[in-house]
Coordinates of all heavy atoms in Angstrom, one line a residue:
E441 N -13.6 7.3 6.3 CA -13.9 7.2 4.8 C -12.6 7.6 4.1 O -12.3 7.1 3.1 CB -15.1 8.1 4.4 CG -15.4 7.9 2.8 CD -15.8 6.5 2.5 OE1 -16.4 5.7 3.4 OE2 -15.6 6.1 1.3
E442 N -12.0 8.8 4.5 CA -10.8 9.3 3.8 C -9.7 8.3 4.0 O -8.9 8.1 3.0 CB -10.4 10.6 4.4 CG -10.0 10.6 5.9 CD -9.6 11.9 6.4 OE1 -8.4 12.4 6.2 OE2 -10.5 12.6 7.0
T443 N -9.6 7.6 5.0 CA -8.5 6.5 5.2 C -8.7 5.4 4.2 O -7.8 4.9 3.7 CB -8.5 6.0 6.7 OG1 -8.3 7.1 7.5 CG2 -7.3 5.1 6.8
K444 N -10.0 5.0 4.0 CA -10.2 3.9 3.0 C -9.9 4.4 1.6 O -9.2 3.7 0.9 CB -11.8 3.6 3.1 CG -12.1 2.6 2.0 CD -13.6 2.3 2.1 CE -14.0 1.3 1.0 NZ -15.5 0.9 1.1
R445 N -10.2 5.7 1.3 CA -9.8 6.2 0.0 C -8.4 6.2 -0.2 O -7.8 5.9 -1.2 CB -10.4 7.6 -0.3 CG -11.9 7.7 -0.4 CD -12.3 9.0 -1.0 NE -12.0 10.1 0.0 CZ -12.7 10.6 0.9 NH1 -14.0 10.1 1.1 NH2 -12.4 11.6 1.6
D446 N -7.6 6.6 0.9 CA -6.2 6.6 0.8 C -5.6 5.2 0.6 O -4.6 5.1 -0.1 CB -5.6 7.2 2.0 CG -5.9 8.7 2.2 OD1 -6.2 9.3 1.2 OD2 -5.8 9.3 3.4
F447 N -6.2 4.3 1.3 CA -5.7 2.9 1.2 C -5.9 2.4 -0.3 O -5.0 1.8 -0.9 CB -6.5 1.9 2.1 CG -6.1 0.5 2.0 CD1 -4.9 0.0 2.5 CD2 -6.9 -0.3 1.3 CE1 -4.5 -1.3 2.3 CE2 -6.5 -1.8 1.1 CZ -5.3 -2.2 1.7
L448 N -7.1 2.7 -0.9 CA -7.3 2.3 -2.3 C -6.4 3.0 -3.2 O -6.0 2.4 -4.2 CB -8.7 2.6 -2.6 CG -9.9 1.7 -1.8 CD1 -11.2 2.2 -2.2 CD2 -9.6 0.2 -2.0
R449 N -6.0 4.2 -2.9 CA -5.1 5.0 -3.7 C -3.7 4.3 -3.5 O -3.0 4.2 -4.6 CB -5.0 6.4 -3.2 CG -3.9 7.3 -3.9 CD -4.1 7.3 -5.5 NE -3.2 8.1 -6.1 CZ -2.9 8.3 -7.4 NH1 -3.6 7.4 -8.1 NH2 -2.0 9.0 -7.9
A450 N -3.3 3.9 -2.4 CA -2.1 3.2 -2.2 C -2.0 1.9 -2.9 O -1.0 1.6 -3.6 CB -1.8 2.9 -0.7
R451 N -3.1 1.2 -3.0 CA -3.2 0.0 -3.8 C -3.0 0.3 -5.3 O -2.3 -0.4 -6.0 CB -4.6 -0.7 -3.6 CG -4.7 -2.0 -4.3 CD -6.2 -2.5 -4.3 NE -6.3 -3.7 -5.0 CZ -7.5 -4.2 -5.5 NH1 -8.5 -3.5 -5.3 NH2 -7.5 -5.3 -6.1
E452 N -3.6 1.4 -5.7 CA -3.5 1.7 -7.2 C -2.1 2.1 -7.5 O -1.5 1.6 -8.5 CB -4.4 2.9 -7.4 CG -4.4 3.4 -8.8 CD -5.3 4.7 -9.1 OE1 -6.2 4.8 -8.3 OE2 -5.0 5.4 -10.1
V453 N -1.4 2.9 -6.6 CA 0.0 3.3 -6.8 C 0.9 2.1 -6.9 O 1.7 1.9 -7.7 CB 0.4 4.4 -5.8 CG1 1.9 4.6 -5.9 CG2 -0.4 5.6 -6.0
A454 N 0.7 1.2 -5.8 CA 1.6 0.0 -5.7 C 1.4 -1.0 -6.9 O 2.3 -1.5 -7.4 CB 1.3 -0.7 -4.4
S455 N 0.1 -1.1 -7.3 CA -0.2 -2.0 -8.4 C 0.5 -1.4 -9.7 O 1.1 -2.2 -10.5 CB -1.7 -2.0 -8.7 OG -2.3 -2.7 -7.6
R456 N 0.5 -0.1 -9.9 CA 0.9 0.5 -11.1 C 2.6 0.3 -11.1 O 3.1 0.0 -12.1 CB 0.7 2.0 -11.2 CG 1.1 2.7 -12.4 CD 0.9 4.2 -12.5 NE -0.6 4.4 -12.1 CZ -0.9 5.2 -11.1 NH1 0.0 5.8 -10.3 NH2 -2.2 5.5 -10.9
K457 N 3.1 0.5 -9.9 CA 4.6 0.3 -9.8 C 5.0 -1.1 -10.1 O 6.0 -1.4 -10.7 CB 5.0 0.8 -8.4 CG 6.6 0.6 -8.3 CD 7.0 1.1 -6.9 CE 8.5 1.0 -6.7 NZ 9.0 1.6 -5.4
E458 N 4.2 -2.1 -9.6 CA 4.6 -3.5 -9.8 C 4.0 -4.0 -11.1 O 4.2 -5.3 -11.3 CB 4.2 -4.2 -8.6 CG 4.9 -3.8 -7.3 CD 4.6 -4.7 -6.1 OE1 4.5 -6.0 -6.5 OE2 4.7 -4.3 -5.0
R459 N 3.3 -3.3 -11.8 CA 2.7 -3.7 -13.1 C 1.8 -5.0 -12.9 O 1.9 -5.8 -13.8 CB 3.8 -3.9 -14.1 CG 4.5 -2.7 -14.4 CD 5.6 -2.8 -15.5 NE 6.3 -1.6 -15.8 CZ 7.2 -1.5 -16.7 NH1 7.6 -2.5 -17.4 NH2 7.8 -0.3 -16.9
T460 N 1.0 -5.0 -11.9 CA 0.1 -6.1 -11.7 C -0.9 -5.5 -10.7 O -0.7 -4.5 -10.0 CB 0.8 -7.3 -11.1 OG1 -0.2 -8.4 -11.0 CG2 1.3 -7.1 -9.6
T461 N -2.1 -6.1 -10.7 CA -3.2 -5.7 -9.8 C -3.0 -6.4 -8.4 O -3.2 -7.7 -8.3 CB -4.5 -6.0 -10.3 OG1 -4.6 -5.4 -11.6 CG2 -5.6 -5.5 -9.4
L462 N -2.6 -5.7 -7.4 CA -2.5 -6.3 -6.1 C -3.8 -6.4 -5.4 O -4.7 -5.7 -5.5 CB -1.6 -5.3 -5.2 CG -0.1 -5.0 -5.7 CD1 0.5 -4.1 -4.8 CD2 0.7 -6.3 -5.9
T463 N -3.9 -7.5 -4.5 CA -5.1 -7.7 -3.7 C -5.0 -6.7 -2.6 O -3.9 -6.1 -2.3 CB -5.1 -9.1 -3.2 OG1 -4.0 -9.4 -2.3 CG2 -5.1 -10.1 -4.3
H464 N -6.0 -6.6 -1.8 CA -6.0 -5.7 -0.6 C -5.0 -6.3 0.4 O -4.3 -5.5 1.1 CB -7.4 -5.8 0.0 CG -8.4 -4.9 -0.8 ND1 -9.7 -4.6 -0.3 CD2 -8.2 -4.2 -1.9 CE1 -10.4 -3.9 -1.2 NE2 -9.5 -3.6 -2.2
G465 N -4.9 -7.6 0.5 CA -4.0 -8.3 1.4 C -2.5 -8.0 1.1 O -1.7 -7.6 1.9
Q466 N -2.2 -8.0 -0.2 CA -0.9 -7.7 -0.7 C -0.6 -6.3 -0.4 O 0.5 -5.9 0.0 CB -0.8 -8.0 -2.2 CG -0.7 -9.5 -2.6 CD -0.7 -9.6 -4.1 OE1 -1.6 -9.2 -4.7 NE2 0.4 -10.1 -4.6
T467 N -1.5 -5.4 -0.6 CA -1.3 -3.9 -0.3 C -1.1 -3.7 1.1 O -0.1 -2.9 1.5 CB -2.5 -3.1 -0.8 OG1 -2.9 -3.4 -2.2 CG2 -2.3 -1.6 -0.7
F468 N -1.8 -4.3 2.0 CA -1.7 -4.2 3.4 C -0.4 -4.6 3.9 O 0.4 -3.9 4.6 CB -2.8 -4.9 4.1 CG -2.8 -4.7 5.6 CD1 -3.3 -3.6 6.2 CD2 -2.3 -5.7 6.4 CE1 -3.3 -3.4 7.6 CE2 -2.2 -5.7 7.9 CZ -2.7 -4.4 8.3
H469 N 0.1 -5.7 3.2 CA 1.4 -6.3 3.6 C 2.5 -5.2 3.2 O 3.5 -5.0 4.0 CB 1.6 -7.5 2.8 CG 3.0 -8.1 2.9 ND1 3.5 -8.9 3.9 CD2 4.2 -8.0 2.0 CE1 4.7 -9.3 3.7 NE2 5.1 -8.7 2.6
R470 N 2.5 -4.6 2.1 CA 3.4 -3.7 1.6 C 3.5 -2.4 2.4 O 4.5 -1.8 2.7 CB 3.2 -3.4 0.1 CG 3.8 -4.6 -0.8 CD 3.1 -4.6 -2.1 NE 3.6 -5.6 -3.0 CZ 3.4 -6.8 -2.9 NH1 2.7 -7.3 -1.9 NH2 4.0 -7.7 -3.8
V471 N 2.2 -1.9 2.8 CA 2.2 -0.7 3.6 C 2.8 -0.9 4.9 O 3.6 -0.1 5.5 CB 0.7 -0.3 3.8 CG1 0.5 0.9 4.7 CG2 0.1 0.3 2.3
V472 N 2.5 -2.0 5.5 CA 3.0 -2.4 7.0 C 4.5 -2.5 6.8 O 5.3 -1.8 7.7 CB 2.3 -3.6 7.5 CG1 3.2 -4.0 8.8 CG2 1.0 -3.3 7.9
K473 N 5.1 -3.2 6.0 CA 6.5 -3.4 5.8 C 7.2 -2.1 5.4 O 8.3 -1.8 6.0 CB 6.8 -4.5 4.7 CG 6.3 -5.8 5.1 CD 7.0 -6.4 6.4 CE 6.7 -7.8 6.7 NZ 5.3 -8.1 7.0
F474 N 6.6 -1.2 4.6 CA 7.2 0.0 4.2 C 7.3 0.9 5.4 O 8.4 1.6 5.7 CB 6.3 0.7 3.1 CG 6.8 2.0 2.7 CD1 7.9 2.1 1.8 CD2 6.2 3.1 3.2 CE1 8.3 3.3 1.4 CE2 6.7 4.4 2.8 CZ 7.8 4.4 1.9
Y475 N 6.3 1.0 6.3 CA 6.3 1.8 7.5 C 7.4 1.4 8.5 O 8.1 2.2 9.0 CB 4.9 1.8 8.2 CG 4.9 2.8 9.4 CD1 4.5 4.1 9.1 CD2 5.2 2.3 10.7 CE1 4.5 5.0 10.2 CE2 5.2 3.2 11.7 CZ 4.8 4.5 11.5 OH 4.8 5.4 12.6
L476 N 7.5 0.0 8.8 CA 8.4 -0.5 9.7 C 9.8 -0.3 9.0 O 10.8 0.1 9.9 CB 8.3 -2.0 9.8 CG 7.0 -2.4 10.6 CD1 6.9 -3.9 10.7 CD2 7.1 -1.8 12.1
D477 N 10.0 -0.4 7.8 CA 11.4 -0.1 7.2 C 11.7 1.2 7.4 O 13.0 1.5 7.5 CB 11.3 -0.5 5.7 CG 12.6 -0.5 5.1 OD1 13.6 -1.2 5.7 OD2 12.8 0.1 4.1
R478 N 10.8 2.1 7.3 CA 11.2 3.6 7.5 C 11.3 4.1 8.8 O 12.0 5.1 9.1 CB 10.1 4.4 6.7 CG 10.2 4.3 5.2 CD 11.5 4.9 4.6 NE 11.5 4.8 3.1 CZ 11.2 5.9 2.4 NH1 10.8 7.0 2.9 NH2 11.2 5.7 1.0
N479 N 10.6 3.5 9.7 CA 10.5 4.1 11.2 C 11.0 3.3 12.3 O 11.0 3.7 13.4 CB 9.0 4.5 11.4 CG 8.5 5.4 10.3 OD1 8.9 6.7 10.5 ND2 7.8 5.1 9.3
D480 N 11.3 1.9 12.1 CA 11.7 1.1 13.2 C 13.1 0.6 13.0 O 13.4 -0.4 12.2 CB 10.7 -0.1 13.3 CG 11.0 -1.0 14.4 OD1 11.9 -0.7 15.2 OD2 10.1 -1.9 14.7
P481 N 14.1 1.3 13.6 CA 15.5 0.8 13.6 C 15.7 -0.6 14.0 O 16.5 -1.4 13.3 CB 16.2 1.7 14.5 CG 15.3 2.9 14.7 CD 13.9 2.4 14.6

């Protein structure tokens, strides 16, 4: 349950940053790409 809450929070933060309401799919896309960009040389 806490992971779901964190994901919804990530959606809220990303939506605010991009000034639009992101779908769950868009949020998932950004989270995955962000992690790879930071951790996969």
Side-chain angles (χ1 to χ4, degrees):
E441 184 64 33
E442 64 182 272
T443 304
K444 179 181 177 180
R445 289 196 300 268
D446 290 344
F447 176 77
L448 295 177
R449 174 60 178 167
R451 182 190 181 203
E452 180 181 338
V453 171
S455 295
R456 187 184 306 124
K457 180 176 181 178
E458 299 190 28
R459 297 183 178 181
T460 187
T461 301
L462 300 178
T463 65
H464 288 183
Q466 286 176 297
T467 305
F468 185 77
H469 173 83
R470 283 155 175 75
V471 169
V472 170
K473 295 298 192 292
F474 178 80
Y475 185 87
L476 289 174
D477 186 51
R478 289 298 185 89
N479 298 282
D480 187 351

